[in-house]
Each structure stands twice: as C-alpha cells, then as structure tokens.
C-alpha cells in the first residue's frame, strides 16, 4: 500500500518544488487519492522528520499552510488531522457574528462577494451571550485558516480571543482591547456619537425634549450612553432615558433617539395614527443606516459606519494577507426626520 511518505517523496523528481512545496502537495495528493481520509490522523512531526529527513521547520511550515487552507486541523495534544478532503479549497474562514440583522448582513454579503468563490466561509452566531461565545471559540479553534470575530464587551472576552492564533485573527464591528499587535476593522462609538449629536444640537433645541431609549445591561454600546449624557449636559438639553418605547406614547415636540429598529417602526405607526409629521411635529434619530430608512416617513436621520465597506476591507486583508488596523468612519446622514 502506498503511504503518505511515498506521496511526498515521489515529488522529489520535480526540480521546481522546494521541500516545503513537496510536503504540502504530497499531503494533498495523499488526500485526493484516498490514502488518508477526512478525520484521520496525519503523521507527527517527529515521525515525518525520521521518514523524510526534512527539517522540523519545513514540516511545521507545511502543516501551518495546510491549516490556513482549511485542509488540516491541529488538535491540542493530539496532533494533526485531515479537516477537509476538498484540496481545491484555498482557504477556510470562520466568521463569528452577533446575529443576522440588516447591518451584519451587509457586512457578510460584501465579505462573501469580495473573497470570491474559492474561499469557504462557515458562519457562527453568539447572540451576545458570553457562554455561547466561549463555546463557539473552543469549537472553531485550530480548524480554520482565518478567524473573523465580532467580540462581546465582557471581562472574559480578551482571554477567550487570545486562544486564537493572533496572526490569523481579525476583529470586526466592535473593538475590544487585547494584548499584542492584532488585526481589526471596527467602528467607534463614543467620539462619533458626541460629534453627531453636536451637529444636530441646534435642530434638537427646537423641540421640547430629547428621549433616548436604552435598557440597562443590554448590548447597547456603553460609549453611546456616555456620549449622550455628556452631550445633554454640555448643551443643556432637556432629556429623559427610558427603557423602551410604549406603543401609543408618541408626543408632539419630542425627539426620539433609539438604537432599536423595532421602536422606530412603532413610533412611525403611532405618528400615522395621531397625524404627527416626523421632522416637524417630532424628531427621530436612529443608529445604523439601511435602505428602508431612506424611504419610510420621507427618510429617517441616521448615523452609521459603513458595514459594506467593513466587509470589503476585512476580505481584502484576508486575500492580500496584509496587516489591517482600521476604524471605519461614522457618517451622519440627515433626512426629513431631524
């Protein structure tokens, strides 16, 4: 029976192959010819050194490349295993997201399109739950060439993210500090929120009160709450913070600021019932932009990072294997509602 070692050694006859290329291609040929199947263990580094006479670094580099392609996985203290028998696949990406809302979907679609058909993406969701986040990270660790993760603001997050190989990790959406020089394409909340509110201050002051909806302990970025409180103090704005919008409670002379789309739709429905016109009788400010907000009620004023651009930038960093540390600008889009 032909062995993995023989599949690697038979490539010695190709003068253009380095030992590294010989090792990688030999392993893939062994998989293609069903000498070893998905889920089966590959030879250890020490065994390969003995059988092939290759340097330890050559074999380790070869295994690293096969892992980055998603063909091989490393299991802690168990060795190397065939993770995928599709050797045509050039790269396997793990994408760990909050959930699929319209903004995350914009990110995913642009990431997917920019990466192209030869890159495989497995999508996982943590729903802002730290237990699920930890479970997912342990499940995907060692099985992918790139890890693209939207982090949770939590004391355990830093430690959990440091379980991943830092050279294969890209943080996106929110930013959480970690040790080391890591990749990220994120949005910023504190300064951008204060700047946006400051630009809207004169318009906000034409109304009687600014009402902000926020549930304590929710996943709302704490930086937005800090900026909101600083802004209302600095600009002496009459304000209230409420847990949620109560259907039927919309009032003339109020500006409503919410991070929750469902509250916008409830407010708009009540405006129609009470014959109140957004932008004249009331004001509405929303975080994160999407197509429907361009249309509904003549247009909702929003401020948002460009999630489409975020997806493209992450994909470009993956394809070019380049360092990326970028904050996507937050843009105020003024429409009829404020």
């Amino acid at each position: 029976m032909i062995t993995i070692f023989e599949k690697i050694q038979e490539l010695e006859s190709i003068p253009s192959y380095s030992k590294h290329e010989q090792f990688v291609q030999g392993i893939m040929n062994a998989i293609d010819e069903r000498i070893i199947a998905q889920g089966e263990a590959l030879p250890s580094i020490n065994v390969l050194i003995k059988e092939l006479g290759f340097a330890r670094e050559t074999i380790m580099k070869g295994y690293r490349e096969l892992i980055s392609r998603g063909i091989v996985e490393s299991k802690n203290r168990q060795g190397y295993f065939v993770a995928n028998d599709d050797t045509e696949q050039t790269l396997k990406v793990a994408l760990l997201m909050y959930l699929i809302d319209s903004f995350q979907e914009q990110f995913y679609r642009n990431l997917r399109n920019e990466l192209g058909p030869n890159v495989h993406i497995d999508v996982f969701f943590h729903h802002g739950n730290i237990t699920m986040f930890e479970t997912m990270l342990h499940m995907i660790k060692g099985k992918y060439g790139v890890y693209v993760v939207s982090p949770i603001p939590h004391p355990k997050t830093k430690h959990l993210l440091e379980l991943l190989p830092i050279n294969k990790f890209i943080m996106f959406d929110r930013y959480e500090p970690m040790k080391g020089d890591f990749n990220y394409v994120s949005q910023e909340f504190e300064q951008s929120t204060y700047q946006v509110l400051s630009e809207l201050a004169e318009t906000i002051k034409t109304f009687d009160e600014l009402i902000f909806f926020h549930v304590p302990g929710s996943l709302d970025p704490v930086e937005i709450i800090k900026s909101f409180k600083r802004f209302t103090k600095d600009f002496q704005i009459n304000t209230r913070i409420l847990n949620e919008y109560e259907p039927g409670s919309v009032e003339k002379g109020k500006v409503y600021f919410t991070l929750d789309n469902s509250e916008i739709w409830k407010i708009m429905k009540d405006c129609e019932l009470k014959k109140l016109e957004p932008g004249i009788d009331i004001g509405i400010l929303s975080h994160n932009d999407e197509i429907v907000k361009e249309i509904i009620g003549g247009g909702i004023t929003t401020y948002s990072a460009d999630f489409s651009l975020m997806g493209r930038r992450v994909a470009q960093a993956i394809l070019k294997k380049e360092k990326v540390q970028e904050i996507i600008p937050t843009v105020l889009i003024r429409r009829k509602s404020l």
Side-chain angles (χ1 to χ4, degrees), residues 24-236:
V24 171
Q25 190 59 53
I27 294 287
M28 291 196 296
N29 290 348
I31 294 170
D32 289 340
E33 296 176 26
R34 302 293 185 264
I35 293 168
I36 187 166
Q38 185 172 337
E40 292 184 352
L42 288 155
S44 70
I45 291 173
N46 288 336
V47 169
L48 286 161
I49 291 171
K50 180 181 177 181
E51 293 290 334
L52 301 174
F54 286 5
R56 179 177 295 273
E57 181 54 37
T58 299
I59 294 167
M60 290 177 66
K61 182 182 176 184
Y63 269 148
R64 285 197 297 268
E65 179 171 335
L66 289 164
I67 290 170
S68 74
R69 295 190 186 194
I71 297 168
V72 169
E73 63 178 306
S74 172
K75 295 184 179 179
N76 190 31
R77 297 183 181 178
Q78 295 182 52
Y80 298 93
F81 293 78
V82 178
N84 194 325
D85 57 11
D86 180 10
T87 58
E88 295 300 313
Q89 184 174 290
T90 57
L91 184 63
K92 190 175 180 184
V93 175
L95 174 61
L96 182 53
M97 314 173 74
Y98 270 83
L99 44 79
I100 278 288
D101 56 21
S102 57
F103 325 118
Q104 302 276 321
E105 185 176 358
Q106 288 175 39
F107 173 88
Y108 172 76
R109 286 182 181 276
N110 283 271
L111 176 75
R112 172 70 280 170
N113 291 340
E114 193 79 14
L115 286 176
N118 291 329
V119 177
H120 178 86
I121 304 177
D122 284 335
V123 184
F124 306 89
F125 302 100
H126 57 65
H127 300 280
N129 181 294
I130 193 63
T131 302
M132 191 173 292
F133 185 73
E134 182 172 9
T135 300
M136 292 293 180
L137 286 177
H138 281 293
M139 183 174 72
I140 64 178
K141 183 180 65 173
K143 298 180 181 178
Y144 292 85
V146 177
Y147 301 86
V148 180
V149 180
S150 181
I152 299 174
H154 191 278
K156 292 179 69 175
T157 295
K158 176 177 175 290
H159 167 71
L160 292 172
L161 289 176
E162 287 168 357
L163 297 174
L164 299 174
I166 198 165
N167 61 321
K168 297 175 183 176
F169 167 72
I170 302 178
M171 183 185 293
F172 83 98
D173 190 2
R174 299 193 181 190
Y175 178 92
E176 287 293 309
M178 290 170 53
K179 68 181 180 183
D181 192 23
F182 64 94
N183 291 312
Y184 59 85
V185 182
S186 305
Q187 56 179 321
E188 188 277 329
F189 298 105
E190 189 164 353
Q191 288 304 116
S192 58
T193 297
Y194 188 86
Q195 179 63 35
V196 162
L197 291 172
S198 298
E199 288 183 45
L200 294 170
E202 290 305 311
T203 303
I204 290 170
K205 284 183 175 182
T206 64
F207 293 87
D208 300 329
E209 187 179 32
L210 172 60
I211 297 174
F212 178 43
F213 298 106
H214 164 65
V215 179
S218 70
L219 292 172
D220 294 343
V222 295
E223 300 93 336
I224 292 180
I225 290 85
K226 286 172 61 179
S227 289
F228 177 82
K229 291 178 177 178
R230 181 160 68 96
F231 162 75
T232 55
K233 180 181 179 182
D234 290 350
F235 286 80
Q236 298 182 326

Side-chain angles (χ1 to χ4, degrees), residues 192-207 210 228 231 235 237 255-257 283-287 300-304 331-338:
S192 58
T193 297
Y194 188 86
Q195 179 63 35
V196 162
L197 291 172
S198 298
E199 288 183 45
L200 294 170
E202 290 305 311
T203 303
I204 290 170
K205 284 183 175 182
T206 64
F207 293 87
L210 172 60
F228 177 82
F231 162 75
F235 286 80
I237 303 292
V255 176
Y256 297 96
F257 175 26
I284 300 175
L285 174 63
S286 171
H287 187 245
I300 304 296
T301 293
T302 67
Y303 74 105
S304 178
V331 178
L332 171 65
I333 305 171
R334 298 202 68 167
R335 299 191 179 106
K336 183 184 174 184
S337 73
L338 191 61

